[in-house]
Amino acid sequence: MRSVQKGLMAAGVGMAVNIVLAIVKIVTGVLGNSYALIADGIESSTDIISSLVVWTGLKISTIPPDDDHPYGHGKAESISAIIVSLALFAAAAFIAVESIRELHAPRHTPAWFTLVVLALVVAIKETLFRFVSRVGHQLNSTAVQSDAWHHRADASTSAAAFIGISIALIGGKGYERADDWAALFACAVILFNGYRILRVAVNDIMDTAAPDPLQKEILAISASVPGVVRIEKCRTRKSGLGLLVELHVEVDGDLTVRRGHEIAHEVSDRLKSSSLPVQFVMVHIEPAPKVQQPPKPH
């Protein structure tokens, strides 16, 4: 529960920062004749929605299992990551359309003070990306990591706007539209980040197996339990911040049912008490094959 609180806190900090930055960027863009900065402010507005979606997804994922959801509500976390990626695609499309339209409209050179605002924004958003990304990796949360990449996308659009405005100011007359080209470049960055978030989230929804190093750790812990002869199968899938594990454990076929049951419980308890994010374990006990003894010599 404490880990979920860290994720909720990271999403909450992101929302608060994005509200302030969205207002500052849009107002500065209007006053400073920079469409790239206005577009950047609009992208920050989608960040607010994204952080809210992540926060809501994490809250739902903590609801305990019930009759309708016996494996819990962890998939809400992956669904929220998909919504965040779709929000990135929508933001990129909107900015691209408006930037292309602005390329054909009369333009004024952006004001110099827009560069100061953008430099501060890049520094703040990159710091926020590193903070939220660290929390996301600690929790193994697809949604929190997607929120972090949304912050990185915002930092990228701000950096692109900074370069575009700098070119417009240095180049002077005839270079006013560099700011719009910068916004178009930022769209490509946003689309790429949206794709990488969507790919991971869809893999979670499709019950993709855990990475090999993690599965090897699960196998090693399970095999270390006294009475376990061999792990015949290991299936894993991610749900929310944790893993659901199904094991086929081979034991001596001459053991009592009670002893086999005890071994299964010990395997489950060891995995749940380990440092791995294992939340649910299903253990199926099977008799180990009899070792064929060589025939006695006559």
Side-chain angles (χ1 to χ4, degrees), residues 68-267:
D68 293 328
H69 305 86
Y71 291 98
H73 298 75
K75 293 298 183 183
E77 193 256 358
S78 301
I79 292 172
S80 67
I82 291 176
I83 295 173
V84 169
S85 67
L86 295 178
L88 280 171
F89 292 147
F94 177 80
I95 293 171
V97 170
E98 291 300 311
S99 297
I100 292 171
R101 186 178 63 82
E102 287 294 317
L103 282 171
H104 301 286
R107 292 300 310 273
H108 298 287
T109 303
W112 66 268
F113 59 80
T114 56
L115 292 177
V116 177
V117 172
L118 283 168
L120 289 173
V121 167
V122 170
I124 292 171
K125 293 297 284 187
E126 183 62 22
T127 301
L128 189 58
F129 162 75
R130 292 174 185 272
F131 164 67
V132 177
S133 181
R134 185 168 61 251
V135 172
H137 282 293
Q138 289 172 354
L139 305 182
N140 193 30
S141 169
T142 304
V144 174
Q145 289 178 45
S146 73
D147 202 27
W149 279 103
H150 213 153
H151 296 312
R152 168 59 68 82
D154 203 11
S156 300
T157 57
S158 297
F162 184 93
I163 294 171
I165 292 172
S166 297
I167 292 173
L169 289 172
I170 294 170
K173 188 172 179 60
Y175 286 85
E176 298 90 345
R177 289 179 174 80
D179 154 82
D180 297 315
W181 286 109
L184 283 172
F185 172 78
C187 289
V189 176
I190 295 171
L191 285 172
F192 174 75
N193 287 329
Y195 163 73
R196 62 184 294 169
I197 292 167
L198 182 62
R199 184 182 61 185
V200 174
V202 168
N203 282 341
D204 289 347
I205 292 290
M206 295 297 292
D207 291 333
T208 301
D212 283 343
L214 188 54
Q215 294 216 56
K216 287 179 180 178
E217 287 188 67
I218 292 172
L219 290 171
I221 293 172
S222 304
S224 68
V225 173
V228 173
V229 175
R230 188 173 75 97
I231 307 299
E232 197 263 330
K233 284 182 184 176
C234 176
R235 293 174 179 157
T236 59
R237 56 193 172 102
K238 187 172 180 289
S239 181
L241 304 184
L243 286 174
L244 308 182
V245 180
E246 178 186 329
L247 295 168
H248 286 213
V249 176
E250 292 183 357
V251 300
D252 185 349
D254 294 330
L255 293 178
T256 63
V257 173
R258 186 181 302 278
R259 179 57 189 145
H261 180 72
E262 290 171 353
I263 293 173
H265 264 288
E266 189 168 349
V267 169

